[in-house]
Amino acid sequence: MKKVLSLAAAGLLAAGAAQAGTLTVANSDITLYGGVSAGYEWQDNDFAAVNNSNDNFRVNTFAIGLMKKADANSPIGFNAAFASFNVPTVIASTDVVNNGNGLLKWGTTTTFKPWLAYVTIAPIEGLSVDAGLLWAKYGEAPLTILNPHINRGALFVAFDPVLFAGARVNYDAGVAKVYAGYNQGGGLYFPYSHTVNDAVEAGIMADLGMAKAGFHIYDESSGRNIYTLCAKTDLEMATVGVQISYLKEDDALQNNTSDDDMYGVALKVAPKIAENISIPVRIEYVNTDAKNDDTYWTFTITPTYKPTANTFVRVEAAYTTADAKMFVDVDDPTSTKDNRTTLAFEAGFLF
């Protein structure tokens, strides 16, 4: 067993350094990685009525993957992961997410199949090309075990394309990393149900000393144009991150009930309590710029205990409040509410 490069580079299990094994297959060293998590959740209201319940026990994640890095000795590598997972969010439960309603293009997340699969070609040092099923370079990942919170945030729902089939060119210039790519539309595609056949992405990420920052563009043909600025700094007492996203709709999406743009801001703070204890907090504000100027706030707090480097136990409380009555009462689907509260517990193991 040895330390894996941060499983963010693997595309999965980015939540810190985990333990993983190396397999030798046909004279190649292949990294095996994955994770399992299970938990309990309670909610009072939901985004839509789909035979919801107040509480559920769930297997949130089962994921297993193989990866071979491309390097000077072997310029072609790959990364592939099969998974079955739930995507609870502060806006909608995982039942609503997987019920259809135009929220998913790539299928039901609880179907065990490849959710990450690409080949990497690295012809020269610093330059690589990835082609296949890719994940976005910014924002939260859909799997609960990859994030400091159980529920995905509002900016994940509204501004993150998450995953798509396509190709991406990456270049590490030393002072900054840049990328550009072409794809066929977001796979976890929450805000809209229209068809997108073409999209481009580009971005730059740099370590500025006091903070790490990135600027990302995602532009769909006849769809969304998303611009996102991310920054993160490690202070003595806490780690602080911010995401600012702006979305402008193309003419094909505009209608008479809403304007053609929206924006959101997320602040993430993780106080340093102890080496194996953290209390990450996420605060978000989203302005949908609808004609009646709908806005909503979210607050999430997730006390977490990590008994070992690759295990965790956590509880979570999340609250969302909106100007509009955008939620339905789980006990009475005919009643609409302007807020939603969720409580959750999760335990996980990474390998």
Side-chain angles (χ1 to χ4, degrees), residues 233-239 269-275 277-279:
T233 184
D234 192 355
L235 304 176
E236 184 176 348
M237 298 299 295
T239 299
V269 180
K272 298 176 181 178
I273 306 301
E275 184 176 351
I277 298 175
S278 62
I279 308 179

Side-chain angles (χ1 to χ4, degrees), residues 102-136:
L103 297 179
L104 294 176
K105 282 187 61 181
W106 203 258
T108 304
T109 66
T110 50
T111 300
F112 188 73
K113 65 178 185 178
W115 287 93
L116 176 78
Y118 61 87
V119 173
T120 299
I121 303 174
I124 61 174
E125 185 176 356
L127 178 67
S128 64
V129 180
D130 300 326
L133 182 59
L134 307 170
W135 286 17

Side-chain angles (χ1 to χ4, degrees), residues 103-106 115 133-142 154-165 168 179 183-192 196 198-202 216-220 224-228 230 243 245-247:
L103 297 179
L104 294 176
K105 282 187 61 181
W106 203 258
W115 287 93
L133 182 59
L134 307 170
W135 286 17
K137 285 277 194 177
Y138 70 90
E140 295 179 301
L155 268 64
F156 171 89
V157 175
F159 300 98
D160 295 358
V162 188
L163 85 161
F164 35 76
R168 176 188 293 149
Y179 70 93
N183 63 77
Q184 296 177 318
L188 287 177
Y189 195 68
F190 288 92
Y192 307 106
V196 172
D198 300 281
V200 295
E201 58 167 344
H216 309 269
I217 298 172
Y218 187 82
D219 189 335
E220 297 169 337
R224 307 173 296 174
N225 305 313
I226 305 173
Y227 307 89
T228 296
C230 300
Q243 177 180 334
S245 290
Y246 171 76
L247 183 152

Side-chain angles (χ1 to χ4, degrees), residues 86-299:
N86 286 294
V87 191
T89 79
V90 296
I91 303 298
S93 71
T94 189
D95 295 316
V96 172
V97 170
N98 279 310
N99 190 56
N101 295 322
L103 297 179
L104 294 176
K105 282 187 61 181
W106 203 258
T108 304
T109 66
T110 50
T111 300
F112 188 73
K113 65 178 185 178
W115 287 93
L116 176 78
Y118 61 87
V119 173
T120 299
I121 303 174
I124 61 174
E125 185 176 356
L127 178 67
S128 64
V129 180
D130 300 326
L133 182 59
L134 307 170
W135 286 17
K137 285 277 194 177
Y138 70 90
E140 295 179 301
L143 277 66
T144 60
I145 58 176
L146 306 189
N147 299 278
H149 304 285
I150 300 171
N151 283 276
R152 304 284 68 74
L155 268 64
F156 171 89
V157 175
F159 300 98
D160 295 358
V162 188
L163 85 161
F164 35 76
R168 176 188 293 149
V169 179
N170 311 277
Y171 182 66
D172 187 347
V175 295
K177 297 178 181 180
V178 297
Y179 70 93
Y182 165 81
N183 63 77
Q184 296 177 318
L188 287 177
Y189 195 68
F190 288 92
Y192 307 106
S193 59
H194 71 291
T195 299
V196 172
N197 295 319
D198 300 281
V200 295
E201 58 167 344
I204 181 171
M205 298 162 287
D207 189 340
L208 305 177
M210 290 294 296
K212 295 180 179 179
F215 180 67
H216 309 269
I217 298 172
Y218 187 82
D219 189 335
E220 297 169 337
S221 174
S222 301
R224 307 173 296 174
N225 305 313
I226 305 173
Y227 307 89
T228 296
L229 176 66
C230 300
K232 181 179 180 181
T233 184
D234 192 355
L235 304 176
E236 184 176 348
M237 298 299 295
T239 299
V240 180
V242 63
Q243 177 180 334
I244 304 172
S245 290
Y246 171 76
L247 183 152
K248 184 173 180 59
E249 298 176 350
D250 290 331
D251 292 343
L253 288 181
Q254 297 177 22
N255 55 59
N256 295 324
T257 61
S258 64
D259 292 333
D260 61 358
D261 59 359
M262 59 190 291
Y263 65 90
V265 179
L267 174 66
K268 303 176 184 181
V269 180
K272 298 176 181 178
I273 306 301
E275 184 176 351
N276 58 352
I277 298 175
S278 62
I279 308 179
V281 174
R282 180 183 61 211
I283 302 171
E284 300 172 293
Y285 170 77
V286 174
N287 188 321
T288 65
D289 261 353
K291 294 297 183 182
N292 55 358
D293 206 27
D294 289 335
T295 64
Y296 53 92
W297 289 85
T298 81
F299 175 84

